[in-house]
Amino acid sequence: NTENLGANNGWSTATMSCYQEGGDEEEEEEEEEEEATDPQTCTFTKSENKKFKGKLSGLVYTMEECMEKCPLTNKCKGCSCKNKNKCMMNKKTKTKNNAKFDAYEMECSN
């Protein structure tokens, strides 16, 4: 009897039932709620010729955009910028020397 029941059959049935309940839509809403945090004041401290470890994004932000979005993004600790138009969000404040980057560590208070 066990030959008729494969792990794959059980798994695909479970996967389908999750999608049938609309699980994806609920998850997206929860993520949006996490991003909306209490209003807080954040400052950024510059470290020249340093780059943070732990990428959260690519070099897709301007410095201004990165500093606006970092406080609203879960796990963001700061921004590493190649120039004022190429910045990324980072999840770690540990730095490594890199002459092409400047690191901006975020500190927030409510």
Side-chain angles (χ1 to χ4, degrees), residues 48-55 93-99 101 103:
E48 291 188 13
N49 300 319
K50 300 277 186 188
K51 180 180 176 183
F52 287 132
K53 294 184 176 185
K55 291 182 185 179
T93 54
K94 187 172 183 181
T95 59
K96 57 183 176 182
N97 292 330
N98 191 322
F101 282 84

Side-chain angles (χ1 to χ4, degrees), residues 55-87:
K55 291 182 185 179
L56 275 178
S57 70
L59 293 168
V60 295
Y61 298 105
T62 65
M63 187 184 302
E64 192 175 290
E65 287 172 341
C66 191
M67 290 180 176
E68 282 177 17
K69 292 182 180 188
C70 190
L72 304 176
T73 304
N74 200 10
K75 296 183 182 177
C76 186
K77 303 287 185 196
C79 300
S80 295
C81 298
K82 211 170 195 177
N83 58 48
K84 67 179 184 174
N85 293 316
K86 289 192 176 184
C87 294

